[in-house]
Amino acid sequence: MTTQHISRAPDGGINEDLIAVFASGATTDLLVLDGASSVADTNYVDKRQGDVAWFVQAFAAEMEGAIAANLSQGAAVRKAVDAVHRRYRAQAGGAAVPLYAHPLAALTWIRILRMDDHLALALYCLGDCKAFAVDGAGAVLDLDPYVNPYEAVVQEAIAALDLAEVNDPSIKRARLLPMLRARREAQHGAPEPGALCLAPQGEFKAREYALRLPLDTAVLAMTDGFYRLVDPYGLYAIEELAQRCRSLGLAALLDELREHEAARAHAALAVKSADDASALLWRTH
């Protein structure tokens, strides 16, 4: 069994994504984390790399112990995030942190158990990372067919600014900021949060799946920054992307992504013209 993974920020900046792989015997745990860009004016616990990068790194570190404790996926996530929250409060030093400034992330956790005649997969998903199974013939199965409904809201707001000929990125972000902060507050205050938040008000509303797949299945997972190759850029269908990831490697596809973004830097299909991009490819041979 091998796992190839890559995670990079645009232009060598601070990376708020994270890929973590934990293997024990016949079980492999794959974590894909996509930290949500801060909408705060300052950082409260990590002035160097920012609270969002701190959050995903701290969470992954706590997850290693939670996984080793043989907890259920839901219990392990809650144990880890509660430990991170305690660390956050201690390092914030009593500062009054606005709710919208609390760090947030998307999480896809894929647990793979290799049996004698099949693979048993268990997924735990919060937010909008992507995960696919690729069979020996190259057919792709979407393991978590989720579409973030808020993305359409953001796109409509961006389109309205474009119609008003608001082209300066800093002005555009300032116009969007109240909406983004209100959305972040709603996510943190939700009774059943659908994203990985710092201090959940109730149980996470995760999408959970259990699958039995052939032994020759590969698993391809990524953050939405890497998935831009498929949507919105349309450079590949997911089957083509999976094939190229397996034949060329993840680094080659990430290079293609950055070249395309550099060539279309004037366009504005998203709040950020380029995003942190991460992907992993797991296969049995």
Side-chain angles (χ1 to χ4, degrees):
M1 294 179 286
T2 61
T3 306
Q4 176 189 162
H5 55 88
I6 194 167
S7 184
R8 292 181 193 162
D11 301 322
I14 294 170
N15 188 2
E16 297 172 341
D17 284 359
L18 188 146
I19 301 283
V21 179
F22 305 109
S24 178
T27 302
T28 303
D29 289 287
L30 309 171
L31 271 66
V32 181
L33 286 155
D34 182 354
S37 297
S38 178
V39 294
D41 296 322
T42 189
N43 291 294
Y44 293 86
V45 302
D46 194 323
K47 302 294 185 181
R48 181 182 62 84
Q49 64 178 348
D51 291 358
V52 177
W54 177 92
F55 177 58
V56 297
Q57 292 168 19
F59 176 78
E62 293 293 343
M63 279 295 290
E64 183 172 12
I67 289 171
N70 292 318
L71 300 172
S72 69
Q73 287 180 291
V77 168
R78 188 58 190 253
K79 176 180 173 65
V81 83
D82 286 348
V84 172
H85 186 209
R86 290 191 293 271
R87 289 173 56 187
Y88 182 91
R89 286 187 298 176
Q91 290 184 224
V97 182
L99 188 59
Y100 62 74
H102 283 184
L104 188 83
L107 163 69
T108 287
W109 173 9
I110 308 166
R111 168 165 285 173
I112 306 172
L113 176 60
R114 179 167 182 165
M115 310 296 286
D116 290 338
D117 60 349
H118 70 278
L119 300 175
L121 269 64
L123 277 76
Y124 182 98
C125 306
L126 294 165
D128 56 2
C129 296
K130 302 292 184 179
F132 305 94
V134 187
D135 71 15
V140 174
L141 171 66
D142 190 342
L143 296 174
D144 176 30
Y146 170 77
V147 176
N148 183 355
Y150 191 68
E151 183 62 26
V153 177
V154 175
Q155 293 301 324
E156 288 177 6
I158 291 173
L161 291 174
D162 290 339
L163 284 174
E165 298 185 348
V166 178
N167 299 315
D168 185 292
S170 61
I171 297 175
K172 186 173 289 188
R173 185 179 186 278
R175 297 278 186 91
L176 293 171
L177 198 56
M179 179 186 75
L180 298 175
R181 285 180 170 177
R183 167 63 176 168
R184 201 61 58 85
E185 289 178 344
Q187 289 174 290
H188 285 294
E192 294 180 300
L196 185 71
C197 55
L198 180 69
Q201 300 302 300
E203 295 302 314
F204 286 114
K205 191 176 182 179
R207 304 179 301 279
E208 298 188 67
Y209 309 90
L211 301 97
R212 178 186 175 113
L213 298 173
L215 282 173
D216 64 351
T217 302
V219 173
L220 176 65
M222 63 197 71
T223 60
D224 62 351
F226 194 93
Y227 190 70
R228 286 186 179 196
L229 286 161
V230 177
D231 184 17
Y233 299 155
L235 299 181
Y236 300 107
I238 185 58
E239 292 80 10
E240 296 172 308
L241 180 62
Q243 180 182 7
R244 291 179 71 84
C245 285
R246 292 198 295 176
S247 61
L248 300 178
L250 301 175
L253 272 298
L254 183 52
D255 288 344
E256 286 188 34
L257 171 69
R258 297 306 186 208
E259 289 170 6
H260 179 76
E261 289 174 333
R264 56 169 294 284
H266 64 282
L269 295 176
V271 177
K272 294 179 284 186
S273 61
D275 196 3
D276 303 333
S278 305
L280 65 83
L281 177 63
W282 179 96
R283 43 189 165 183
T284 53
H285 54 80

